[in-house]
Amino acid sequence: MKLKFDPSLDYQHAAVSAIADLFEGQATGTVETETGATITDGLIQTEHGLGNAITLSQNQVLENLKTVQDANDVSSDGNIDALDFSVEMETGTGKTYVYLRSAFELSARYGFKKFIIVVPSVAIREGVLKSLEVMGEHFRSLYDAMPFNFDVYDSKHPSRVRQFAGGQHLQFLVMNIQAFIRDAGDGETSGNVIYRDSDKMGGRPIDFLAKSNPFVFIDEPQRMDTENAAAAIKRLNPAAIFRYSATHKDTRNLIYRLGPVEAFERQLVKRIEVDSVGADDRSSDPYVKFLKADHTASPIKAQIEIFKMAAGGPKRSKLTVKKGDTLFQKSRENPAYADLMIGDISAQPGEEKLHFQNGLKLSLHEEMGGAADDVAKLMIERAVEHHLRKERDMQGRGIKVLTLFFLDRVADYRLYGEDGTTSLGPVGKWFEEAYSSLVEKHYSDMATFSAEAVHDGYFSKDGKGRAKDTSGSTQADEDTYSLIMKDKERLLDPKVPLRFIFSHSALAEGWDNPNVFQICVLQAVGSTMRRRQQIGRGLRLPVNTDGERVKDQSVNRLVVVSNEDYQSFAKTLQSEYEGQSGVKFGEVARDAFAKMIRAVDGEDEALGVDGSNAVWEKLREQSYLDNKGVVDTDNFRPDDITFEFELPGFEDIAKPVKDELTRYLISRHVRPTKDRKTLEFRKQVHMGEDFKALWEKISQKTRYRVEFSTEDLIEKAVERIKGMERITPLVISAEKVSMSVEHSGVAASGVLDRKVSTSRRTGKLPDILSQLQRETELTRSTLAEILKQCGKLDEFIGNPQTFILHAAREIQGALHGLMIDGIQYEKIDGAHYEMARFEQEAEKGITRYLNRLYEVKNKDRSLYDFVEYDSEVERDFAEALDLNEHVKFFCKLPGWFTVDTPVGPYNPDWSFVTKRHDKLFFIRETKSTLERGKRRQQENQKTDCGKKHFDTLGEDYAVVTELAEVDF
């Protein structure tokens, strides 16, 4: 199977442009600097090979930075100490794709060729190398077959850095930070090969890299946030540094942000469901769980969990104990603990033990009396059941389902005998028992493979070839990572039996197989593996057997089976998001409603900052917010069907304000599995005359063609190029720096002088027609005519690359507008959306979340007993259709009912039938405003195409905000 990548995702485009636009004005062609050096297409010749050469001054980059930050709505500090920038992208949204494509974009625009990717671990390194391998063909197709090479830095083969430094094509070098950070200050005596002189190479490897003046992409920089790491990266002599992470600790010159809330809201990742499994509190048992030990305390102390007597009876409680404590007293005289006393506490990290005077002992996170085995068995059974149910749902869709189990110890899954034989540990046995039982009782149609064939473990091995517990960042993990990364596509093949993957630490990071739909966390609640790490392994959108991403939200749900209750899981996850990202779930800024539209004297106007502040104060008065702006979930309960939201003085915008407040709740994105509702299919309605008549009218498929004249395109493009801001000639900067000699090498210690001047071009101008043709796919003759008529070729001569970039954007804008205006739809003979698909899906079971469902009152009017909605506007529209006496039938059109458009598939909202004298059929799209300027451009383009599609079918289509706007 070959993975496919969508080059048109707007958020990825924005992230790539944020990088490339920083260097707008960079010289291309051949230019000579004031110092006499010659720069050709972004490169300069050095004694070690070729190096990137930025011709812009730091002030010019600062101006570009401000423009980029304004475009992406991120804050600006107003100054720049170094070319060191940050990009924040939530896990699963494609940050590796973005930084690799950014390198291609920088090379295509400006000619830069040297890129080093620094990673913190073997896992991430293997992931990057796999991405370079599988994305290569995709990038070549986007960038006119641009040649490129990639390699990994290997201290056993240091001479490879010569190839990197001397290569004339685009070059990637992937490096572990450990390869050049350890003992870096010891110079010639350093244990790192990268700092050693080599007669064979004619220098040190680090010198070849530094002279190439590379752009450095740092993947997960928070993992390398030390002084030694910063010093090591500085020795690479970066032209610029770009830091990519979802969880920055130090955000330097942020240029783009795609946070977790937006990722969930834009459906770029799977939704999360939590299936909580726990034992009843059996207070008569002496339950004890060893949570942690404090070796710094005197005397040494431990934290445990027991049943402590309270007013309403025994309750689980956490408390601190020391040697000699009796649990009878600590539990407030719970008789279950009458004979238990703490004998000793071993607190040495990695060897923690809690000893009782009666000879019992517990290891860290171990428990007794808490039915741990029974809980684990049920968790495994629930995970297997979720998996089999999902596999059944995915039949015929070409989507393989994977489930991931996280373990505390390898021995829980697999045992190794002294004679080299292996056998299943308790977890492995429980899995096979659960799988076999469920298949036999309920999923016999899914029994393609045996229980033994569908599961395996990925663990690091010791010298005898036996799996062992590791931290996930050791040399011993390397083979494990390599194996599973190389198996990435194979694991997505439905013909390959493996579906259930057991891991200790090997998959804690870096592994990004997109088809993980279930994660079972068999690790102790006190495990150091964070919730965000756990769910991160399953957030990516799945792919089908054609290698295409699946964007159906009814499919894209990640079930986390946990031994925590839902509230605890969600609370812990929320605190991690807040601690790592600065994301404040529930905290509403005073200007959060500034862009909301309100009618004033018959005109639609944005609320603005003052209006937003007034709404914020009213929300606080109504106790929906506290004094800090945090949503009060005791008073704001959008999931409660009895909840009535009131906003005196702002009744006209109460619904969008309620939608906005709901976005701030983590419960919108993380739900307990018990909140699922399987919709009841109304077969009699499906077979009724009203639905049949409606479906006959709207089920016809169409295809589109675009008609516009070349003359119109030239005219529109010329008009847009003439309207561009004038592009000034590029400038060249020169810096005089002082140098210091350290044990580790020569480094720049300060700027003594800087000079900026207009460049003196000595080479040929770039082939503007070829570059514009690559960007727009128009003919050379059409592009030549546009350039002749625009009257701006003097700007091209003064600053070629910037002119090409802006001209390409304007030509594409003109082309896109004409395509939408000139689009024509025609029916495809014999091609219809199948009505039977409704019943087929219902047989599998259609599950949705209760908090986003409207219960239909008139059951004979709709296909299901509930209708899913995404906003208060949609919910009210569903209710209006349900209660209107003239509406005979209505339904929300399913996600698979799409109209092809030049800007992607379009899924209309509503179809319904009314009857007064004659039957009338309607298709309506619901929006929060009718003012086109207040909606995203792509929304307008899709609805414009939708109207032309339904016009071709002769059906009534329009955009509305409420049912009252429909004339029937």
Side-chain angles (χ1 to χ4, degrees):
M1 189 190 80
K2 184 179 292 185
L3 295 175
K4 297 178 182 177
F5 303 93
D6 185 350
S8 62
L9 299 177
D10 59 349
Y11 69 94
Q12 292 183 347
H13 266 288
V16 172
S17 294
I19 299 293
D21 291 351
L22 286 173
F23 303 99
E24 188 174 319
Q26 164 74 18
T28 57
T30 302
V31 295
E32 186 177 326
T33 69
E34 292 291 334
T35 59
T38 299
I39 299 172
T40 303
D41 290 329
L43 297 176
I44 191 168
Q45 185 71 48
T46 75
E47 66 270 30
H48 290 83
L50 293 171
N52 296 318
I54 297 175
T55 61
L56 299 175
S57 69
Q58 196 152 297
N59 284 337
Q60 287 175 297
V61 177
L62 174 59
E63 289 302 313
N64 289 341
L65 171 64
K66 292 176 181 176
T67 302
V68 167
Q69 290 177 323
D70 288 344
N72 292 312
D73 292 325
V74 294
S75 60
S76 173
D77 295 332
N79 60 69
I80 180 171
D81 297 325
L83 301 189
D84 195 340
F85 309 95
S86 298
V87 175
E88 183 178 310
M89 294 183 71
E90 177 59 3
T91 300
T93 58
K95 66 179 173 61
T96 305
Y97 176 93
V98 164
Y99 67 65
L100 293 179
R101 184 166 174 178
S102 296
F104 279 88
E105 188 71 18
L106 288 169
S107 185
R109 286 198 197 182
Y110 312 117
F112 301 132
K113 293 289 189 291
K114 313 294 179 176
F115 295 87
I116 292 179
I117 301 167
V118 180
V119 299
S121 68
V122 177
I124 295 176
R125 187 194 74 189
E126 291 301 314
V128 173
L129 291 171
K130 188 65 178 180
S131 295
L132 281 162
E133 178 187 328
V134 301
M135 294 176 187
E137 184 176 333
H138 169 75
F139 288 135
R140 289 187 185 96
S141 69
L142 287 181
Y143 290 93
D144 199 23
M146 181 186 295
F148 74 97
N149 300 312
F150 68 90
D151 206 343
V152 61
Y153 174 75
D154 184 350
S155 60
K156 296 178 182 177
H157 304 282
S159 60
R160 290 179 182 174
V161 300
R162 290 183 64 105
Q163 300 166 16
F164 173 83
Q168 298 187 17
H169 302 314
L170 176 59
Q171 304 286 322
F172 292 98
L173 186 66
V174 186
M175 303 182 70
N176 282 61
I177 187 67
Q178 293 83 1
F180 62 108
I181 187 177
R182 202 172 298 143
D183 303 324
D186 294 337
E188 298 297 333
T189 64
S190 169
N192 288 56
V193 173
I194 199 168
Y195 297 109
R196 296 181 193 168
D197 266 318
S198 168
D199 293 336
K200 184 177 179 181
M201 288 184 61
R204 303 180 307 166
I206 190 66
D207 296 330
F208 284 86
L209 298 180
K211 285 295 184 180
S212 69
N213 201 208
F215 285 89
V216 175
F217 294 142
I218 305 180
D219 198 329
E220 304 296 350
Q222 75 281 1
R223 298 278 305 279
M224 298 172 266
D225 190 23
T226 66
E227 290 185 9
N228 285 342
I233 291 169
K234 184 178 179 181
R235 291 183 184 98
L236 294 175
N237 188 31
I241 297 171
F242 297 100
R243 303 167 185 270
Y244 287 80
S245 178
T247 54
H248 287 286
K249 284 184 180 178
D250 180 12
T251 306
R252 310 180 191 189
N253 297 313
L254 184 65
I255 55 177
Y256 181 78
R257 171 183 284 137
L258 178 69
V261 174
E262 187 177 10
F264 281 120
E265 286 289 332
R266 296 183 63 177
Q267 300 180 355
L268 305 178
V269 294
K270 296 188 186 92
R271 290 182 180 181
I272 303 168
E273 296 177 350
V274 180
D275 190 352
S276 301
V277 178
D280 293 334
D281 290 349
R282 299 189 291 180
S283 56
S284 60
D285 292 344
Y287 163 74
V288 182
K289 185 166 187 175
F290 181 19
L291 299 176
K292 64 181 179 181
D294 185 358
H295 68 280
T296 63
S298 181
I300 293 173
K301 295 180 180 180
Q303 186 184 58
I304 62 174
E305 184 177 69
I306 63 173
F307 284 121
K308 189 175 182 179
M309 298 301 288
K315 300 293 183 185
R316 286 178 185 256
S317 301
K318 295 177 182 177
L319 49 88
T320 301
V321 294
K322 63 184 184 300
K323 181 178 178 179
D325 283 344
T326 62
L327 296 194
F328 179 69
Q329 291 179 331
K330 300 292 285 189
S331 66
R332 292 183 179 173
E333 300 186 355
N334 185 337
Y337 299 100
D339 300 322
L340 285 180
M341 176 184 289
I342 305 298
D344 197 9
I345 301 171
S346 301
Q348 183 175 344
E351 299 180 12
E352 296 92 339
K353 287 283 188 301
L354 184 64
H355 301 265
F356 295 94
Q357 203 169 49
N358 62 4
L360 293 174
K361 61 182 177 180
L362 293 176
S363 298
L364 189 63
H365 305 315
E366 192 176 0
E367 64 182 63
M368 65 180 185
D373 286 357
D374 291 335
V375 170
K377 285 180 183 179
L378 183 55
M379 290 175 67
I380 292 168
E381 182 181 329
R382 295 290 293 164
V384 173
E385 187 170 7
H386 285 300
H387 177 106
L388 292 171
R389 186 183 301 138
K390 178 69 81 171
E391 275 211 3
R392 179 177 283 170
D393 292 345
M394 295 301 99
Q395 282 183 321
R397 301 193 63 166
I399 302 173
K400 184 176 178 180
V401 179
L402 300 175
T403 294
L404 179 58
F405 293 84
F406 283 116
L407 307 169
D408 270 327
R409 299 177 302 170
V410 171
D412 290 339
Y413 175 72
R414 185 174 291 153
L415 301 174
Y416 292 82
E418 291 299 324
D419 58 355
T421 60
T422 64
S423 60
L424 290 176
V427 167
K429 291 178 180 177
W430 297 337
F431 168 80
E432 290 195 356
E433 290 169 2
Y435 183 87
S436 299
S437 176
L438 285 165
V439 166
E440 180 182 353
K441 292 178 181 178
H442 306 294
Y443 297 93
S444 57
D445 56 324
M446 310 297 296
T448 307
F449 304 103
S450 67
E452 295 82 2
V454 296
H455 69 104
D456 201 359
Y458 285 86
F459 309 112
S460 301
K461 294 179 173 59
D462 61 18
K464 297 181 180 179
R466 296 178 298 191
K468 63 177 183 178
D469 300 335
T470 61
S471 66
S473 59
T474 66
Q475 188 66 31
D477 293 294
E478 186 159 349
D479 291 341
T480 310
Y481 295 135
S482 179
L483 173 64
I484 197 162
M485 290 310 304
K486 289 174 181 175
D487 278 351
K488 183 175 178 179
E489 290 91 343
R490 188 178 74 88
L491 283 172
L492 293 173
D493 184 352
K495 296 178 182 177
V496 174
L498 181 58
R499 281 154 168 76
F500 297 88
I501 300 165
F502 290 81
S503 172
H504 172 247
S505 61
L507 305 184
E509 59 174 15
W511 189 68
D512 62 349
N513 197 298
N515 284 23
V516 172
F517 287 93
Q518 293 78 222
I519 291 177
C520 184
V521 186
L522 294 171
Q523 293 169 317
V525 171
S527 167
T528 57
M529 187 176 184
R530 302 175 74 86
R531 304 298 171 271
R532 199 171 179 189
Q533 277 183 295
Q534 294 163 351
I535 67 168
R537 309 286 62 81
L539 283 181
R540 287 167 175 79
L541 298 184
V543 298
N544 57 27
T545 49
D546 293 325
E548 299 166 335
R549 292 282 175 186
V550 177
K551 299 179 182 178
D552 184 349
Q553 281 298 295
S554 66
V555 170
N556 296 337
R557 297 175 182 178
L558 172 67
V559 176
V560 180
V561 182
S562 173
N563 54 5
E564 286 181 282
D565 61 76
Y566 159 70
Q567 290 82 2
S568 297
F569 186 96
K571 183 178 180 180
T572 303
L573 180 61
Q574 176 172 329
S575 67
E576 288 180 13
Y577 274 127
E578 294 178 347
Q580 294 173 349
S581 306
V583 174
K584 294 295 182 183
F585 285 95
E587 187 174 312
V588 183
R590 286 181 173 269
D591 62 356
F593 313 100
K595 295 183 180 180
M596 201 164 283
I597 305 302
R598 191 182 193 192
V600 178
D601 299 328
E603 298 289 334
D604 283 348
E605 293 183 4
L607 278 175
V609 174
D610 291 341
S612 179
N613 189 65
V615 171
W616 192 95
E617 287 292 348
K618 184 60 66 176
L619 290 169
R620 186 182 61 80
E621 291 173 14
Q622 296 294 108
S623 298
Y624 299 135
L625 300 178
D626 66 14
N627 290 334
K628 295 181 179 180
V630 176
V631 178
D632 187 332
T633 53
D634 290 332
N635 293 308
F636 182 71
R637 308 182 311 278
D639 290 357
D640 186 342
I641 59 174
T642 66
F643 172 64
E644 294 184 4
F645 181 72
E646 297 179 355
L647 199 62
F650 297 93
E651 290 84 357
D652 55 322
I653 58 171
K655 293 168 188 173
V657 169
K658 181 182 176 185
D659 281 341
E660 183 66 18
L661 281 188
T662 304
R663 289 181 63 246
Y664 287 80
L665 304 180
I666 195 170
S667 59
R668 180 176 173 87
H669 313 296
V670 182
R671 306 297 307 170
T673 53
K674 63 182 177 62
D675 274 10
R676 287 177 177 173
K677 167 69 178 176
T678 300
L679 305 188
E680 181 182 334
F681 182 61
R682 306 292 189 185
K683 191 170 183 178
Q684 67 275 20
V685 179
H686 181 250
M687 300 304 296
E689 292 303 317
D690 289 329
F691 178 64
K692 283 184 177 180
L694 172 67
W695 200 250
E696 184 177 343
K697 286 180 170 290
I698 69 173
S699 63
Q700 172 71 59
K701 291 185 177 181
T702 63
R703 57 173 164 248
Y704 69 83
R705 54 189 172 83
V706 178
E707 292 183 353
F708 58 86
S709 70
T710 303
E711 290 74 18
D712 285 342
L713 173 60
I714 293 172
E715 180 183 346
K716 293 288 186 184
V718 168
E719 181 181 343
R720 292 176 66 117
I721 293 174
K722 285 183 174 179
M724 293 188 326
E725 292 291 331
R726 179 167 180 79
I727 295 171
T728 57
L730 61 86
V731 298
I732 302 297
S733 65
E735 291 183 342
K736 181 181 179 182
V737 300
S738 60
M739 307 300 293
S740 62
V741 180
E742 308 170 6
H743 285 297
S744 56
V746 179
S749 60
V751 178
L752 301 178
D753 185 32
R754 179 180 289 117
K755 187 173 184 179
V756 178
S757 63
T758 302
S759 69
R760 299 193 297 270
R761 300 186 54 83
T762 59
K764 293 181 179 179
L765 289 167
D767 186 344
I768 185 173
L769 292 179
S770 293
Q771 291 197 34
L772 287 177
Q773 190 172 25
R774 185 184 70 221
E775 296 290 335
T776 65
E777 298 184 355
L778 297 176
T779 65
R780 292 175 70 91
S781 59
T782 299
L783 293 167
E785 193 59 37
I786 293 171
L787 294 174
K788 287 179 186 177
Q789 295 186 28
C790 74
K792 286 205 166 194
L793 286 178
D794 60 318
E795 296 177 28
F796 163 63
I797 295 171
N799 196 337
Q801 202 59 48
T802 300
F803 180 84
I804 291 172
L805 172 64
H806 285 262
R809 288 176 180 170
E810 299 303 331
I811 294 170
Q812 287 171 331
L815 177 60
H816 216 161
L818 286 172
M819 286 179 68
I820 299 299
D821 292 341
I823 196 168
Q824 297 294 328
Y825 283 87
E826 57 186 26
K827 299 177 182 179
I828 305 174
D829 291 340
H832 294 79
Y833 293 99
E834 296 295 329
M835 193 170 81
R837 187 166 176 179
F838 286 95
E839 190 168 6
Q840 292 166 358
E841 289 195 338
E843 287 176 356
K844 294 180 179 179
I846 300 174
T847 60
R848 297 292 186 265
Y849 296 113
L850 278 170
N851 67 319
R852 308 303 289 172
L853 290 177
Y854 166 77
E855 185 174 7
V856 179
K857 308 298 187 297
N858 294 291
K859 306 298 184 184
D860 59 342
R861 291 190 182 183
S862 194
L863 292 175
Y864 307 98
D865 55 340
F866 286 82
V867 174
E868 187 178 27
Y869 61 88
D870 294 323
S871 66
E872 286 298 303
V873 172
E874 286 193 357
R875 189 222 170 270
D876 290 347
F877 198 81
E879 184 176 35
L881 288 168
D882 184 19
L883 301 180
N884 190 291
E885 62 182 3
H886 300 296
V887 174
K888 308 298 292 181
F889 170 84
F890 72 95
C891 75
K892 187 94 179 288
L893 288 167
W896 47 263
F897 187 99
T898 58
V899 177
D900 286 337
T901 82
V903 289
Y906 164 56
N907 173 218
D909 280 338
W910 305 94
S911 61
F912 53 100
V913 182
T914 69
K915 187 174 182 181
R916 282 185 172 171
H917 305 294
D918 298 307
K919 283 186 180 179
L920 301 174
F921 302 89
F922 296 91
I923 301 91
R924 288 294 182 268
E925 180 74 24
T926 44
K927 299 292 183 185
S928 59
T929 177
L930 295 179
E931 191 171 345
R932 290 176 63 89
K934 307 302 182 184
R935 304 196 299 256
R936 293 198 302 268
Q937 181 182 12
Q938 196 174 75
E939 283 185 278
N940 292 329
Q941 291 172 337
K942 286 188 174 183
T943 54
D944 288 346
C945 290
K947 178 165 179 53
K948 292 193 176 183
H949 162 84
F950 286 110
D951 284 347
T952 300
L953 303 186
E955 300 308 319
D956 191 316
Y957 170 92
V959 176
V960 296
T961 60
E962 57 184 6
L963 189 61
E965 295 165 9
V966 182
D967 182 15
F968 59 85

